[in-house]
């Protein structure tokens, strides 16, 4: 896996003719369409790592201000993001635009920048209401510039200093048991603050052109995701609109913008997802009639077709997932009793295994809370679970526990049992019983016992 990861990273870093083109960079590695964020969080203890590249080209459209020739306009950007599930409700993300080309203030063609911007995000999510069909979340991101060339053409506005955004996330999952495999609808909306007060947006070192006030914009995104087997098909609309103060007329990126996009994500392995998608500009920047070009401060007309943002772009990406992952049963466990479960119940049983694997982290958390009080607490617990036709936990009990008979141990056992009784599963034609769910807990590891 590490060899494949290194090869993919090397591929993206060695691409040529690169520039920043996207309406915005992806803020998290997982649990998103592309720009549209899901309110559901990744499993605690998991890492999700993604790398993506976006490109656009248009022949005979770049007006080179030095050579006075019309050339092809080819743009590319690449982003890298890492998520870590700190808890059921909180995910931390770190991202960067790892390479892009910029149009130099003085000169022709493009220059390549590396590590142009860092992004730090905290996502508070998986807050379920209406029987967990509706999930709520809040995503806050800090944008930190590393190479902050201001007033860059063909890209959305940046202040050149710290920018801050907060978005309310709302997701509706038609399957409230396995949201990752469910048809789902998503809405994101919130403000973005650009701390651009008294920033110099002149593109020449010996001139000054100030943006006197900070700016405020409203970010929005709407998306629909439809899983089909090992594929996720999605469509989304995303963009931003400025509120309040108007930007000066010498700023390239002062127009509101919105893109509509769609794509496919393919879950090739448990740890690898490949995505291909495209976006088209539906409003803003397709015919720049507002910018007042001023060569005295380095603001030139650079597009023969007057575009201010790219009218389309294509994106490819890879997402890797690694970290804690539980595997309860052997893959061939059903083959020994084909008369007991039909095909539908076997499918249901596989989903039940997934749910127990994900939810078992809650039992691990309960154990470590008890261990903070009783440092000697460790042992194995065997559970018996009966799942009703409607997917609820009809009954659950502890068959065996090797925890010491202490008040803390009994408290931990009771809390685990209460948690297991709250779990929900897929509906089926009959009750299912997991006679022995065996788990071992110690200070160094928490695992399922599979023999």
């Amino acid at each position: 896996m590490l060899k494949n990861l290194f090869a993919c990273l090397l591929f993206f870093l060695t691409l040529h003719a690169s520039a920043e083109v996207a309406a915005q960079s992806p803020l998290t590695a997982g649990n998103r369409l592309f720009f549209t964020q899901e309110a559901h969080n990744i499993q605690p203890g998991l890492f999700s790592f993604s790398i993506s590249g976006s490109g656009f080209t248009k022949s005979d459209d770049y007006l080179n201000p030095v050579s006075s020739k019309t050339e092809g306009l080819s743009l590319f950007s690449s982003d890298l993001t890492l998520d870590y599930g700190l808890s059921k409700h909180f995910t931390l993300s770190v991202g960067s635009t790892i390479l892009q080309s910029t149009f130099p203030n003085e000169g022709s063609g493009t220059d390549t920048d590396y590590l142009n911007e860092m992004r730090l995000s905290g996502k508070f999510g998986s807050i379920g209401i209406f029987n967990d069909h509706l999930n709520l979340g809040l995503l806050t991101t800090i944008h930190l510039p590393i190479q902050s060339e201001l007033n860059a053409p063909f890209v959305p506005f940046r202040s050149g200093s710290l920018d801050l955004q907060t978005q309310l996330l709302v997701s509706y999952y038609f399957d409230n048991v396995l949201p990752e495999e469910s048809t789902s609808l998503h809405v994101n909306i919130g403000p973005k603050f650009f701390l651009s007060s008294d920033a110099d947006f002149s593109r020449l070192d010996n001139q000054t052109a100030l943006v006197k006030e900070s700016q405020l914009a409203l970010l929005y995104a709407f998306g629909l995701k439809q899983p089909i087997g090992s594929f996720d098909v999605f469509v989304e609309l995303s963009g931003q609109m400025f509120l309040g103060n108007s930007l000066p007329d010498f700023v390239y990126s002062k127009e509101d913008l919105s893109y509509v996009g769609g794509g496919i994500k393919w879950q090739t392995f448990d740890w690898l997802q490949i995505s291909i998608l495209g976006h088209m500009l539906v409003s803003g920047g397709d015919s720049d009639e507002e910018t007042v070009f001023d060569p005295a401060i380095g603001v030139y007309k650079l597009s023969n077709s007057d575009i201010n943002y790219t009218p389309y772009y294509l994106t490819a990406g890879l997402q890797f997932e690694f970290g804690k992952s539980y595997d309860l049963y052997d893959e061939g466990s059903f083959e020994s009793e084909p008369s007991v479960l039909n095909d539908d119940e076997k499918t249901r049983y596989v989903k039940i295994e997934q749910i127990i694997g994900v939810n078992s982290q809650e039992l691990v958390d309960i154990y470590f809370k008890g261990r903070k009080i009783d440092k000697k607490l460790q042992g194995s617990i065997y559970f018996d679970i009966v799942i009703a036709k409607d997917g609820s936990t009809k009954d659950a009990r502890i068959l065996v526990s090797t925890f010491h008979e202490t008040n803390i141990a009994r408290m931990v056992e009771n809390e685990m049992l209460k948690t297991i009784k709250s779990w929900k599963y897929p509906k089926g034609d009959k009750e299912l019983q997991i006679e022995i769910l065996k788990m071992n807990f110690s200070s160094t590891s928490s695992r399922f016992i599979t023999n």
Side-chain angles (χ1 to χ4, degrees), residues 24 27 37 120-124 137-143 162-170 187-194 216-221 239 243:
Q24 64 194 68
L27 301 180
Q37 299 287 327
L120 304 177
S121 299
K123 180 180 175 183
F124 180 69
L138 193 69
L139 178 70
T140 298
T141 303
I142 300 174
H143 298 256
L162 183 145
D163 296 333
L164 176 67
Q165 68 183 74
T166 298
Q167 292 175 277
L168 173 66
L169 314 179
V170 181
V187 177
N188 305 164
I189 190 166
K192 183 173 183 178
F193 301 93
F194 301 92
L216 173 65
L218 180 68
L219 303 180
Y220 57 87
L243 305 174

Side-chain angles (χ1 to χ4, degrees), residues 349-413:
Y349 211 84
V350 169
K351 291 184 177 181
I352 288 171
E353 294 172 10
Q354 292 179 257
I355 292 165
I356 292 176
V358 171
N359 290 346
S360 58
Q361 183 61 38
E362 297 179 24
L363 307 184
V364 177
D365 293 341
I366 293 170
Y367 166 71
F368 278 106
K369 287 179 182 178
R371 190 173 174 82
K372 288 181 180 178
I373 304 172
D374 182 357
K375 301 298 183 183
K376 296 182 179 179
L377 183 67
Q378 64 180 16
S380 300
I381 305 182
Y382 294 4
F383 298 97
D384 177 78
I385 303 174
V386 179
I387 300 170
K389 294 180 182 179
D390 65 0
S392 63
T393 303
K394 182 178 180 180
D395 190 25
R397 60 192 176 117
I398 296 175
L399 296 178
V400 176
S401 174
T402 63
F403 282 174
H404 296 298
E405 288 295 321
T406 65
N407 290 334
I408 298 302
R410 283 190 290 270
M411 180 192 72
V412 168
E413 292 167 355

